[in-house]
Amino acid sequence: MTSKLSERMLRVDQAGEFGATRIYAGQLAVMGNRAPGSGEIAGMAMQEAAHREEFDAMIVARGVRPTLLQPVWSAAGFALGAATALLGPEAAMACTAAVETEIERHYTQQLEDLGDEDPELAARIEKFRDDEREHHHAAIAGGAERAPAYALLSGVIRLGCRLAIRISERI
Ligand SMILES: [Fe+2]
Ligand SMILES: [Fe+2]
């Protein structure tokens, strides 16, 4: 039996992992696969796809309604990825660093809220949280902080992520 809490978490987490795959798809569409950093991005994209698949399966198995905003996140994620890639490889990495900062915080908060409830969900969240942390490190190592207007870019993206999280829990 899936509690309201787990249901809300699964909805937003599936939406987030879906959004992540769309961000990387947008970046790779602009960068192609020979640009600096694109190998790294393709690797992270594969992990996001795996995260998404696991949440997709859980949503189906538990009969949780996915977010109604899937088409919005699809377009917004792709646009964010494409726009940051157009600014350059460092801006693409800054996007990942900003997104993963918020996602890591979000997953950590969820683990706290879940406590001993729903170990199946908690185990996944914990595993993915560790992957997102690695993505964050990779993005910083990839020059995220050297992106033009890094502080502004990062702040705007982080704010957008927080809004998207709040909205996807409910809608
Ligand atoms: Fe992920
Ligand atoms: Fe990630």
Side-chain angles (χ1 to χ4, degrees), residues 20-21 24-25 28 39-51 135:
T21 64
Y24 290 127
L28 289 169
E40 190 99 58
I41 290 173
M44 294 192 283
M46 275 176 62
Q47 281 188 310
E48 304 301 358
H51 296 170
H135 297 168

Side-chain angles (χ1 to χ4, degrees), residues 16 19-20 23-24 27 48 80 92-106 132 135-136 139 153-154 157-158 160-162 165:
I23 292 171
Y24 290 127
Q27 291 186 337
E48 304 301 358
L80 174 63
M93 289 297 171
C95 173
T96 294
V99 170
E100 302 295 18
T101 299
E102 290 305 324
I103 301 308
E104 194 188 323
R105 189 162 63 174
H106 165 73
E132 313 304 5
H135 297 168
H136 180 257
L153 186 64
S154 171
I157 294 171
R158 288 179 61 175
C161 285
R162 288 202 292 272
I165 289 169

Side-chain angles (χ1 to χ4, degrees), residues 10 55-64:
L10 257 174
F55 281 140
D56 279 354
M58 280 184 85
I59 271 206
V60 172
R62 296 181 177 206
V64 172

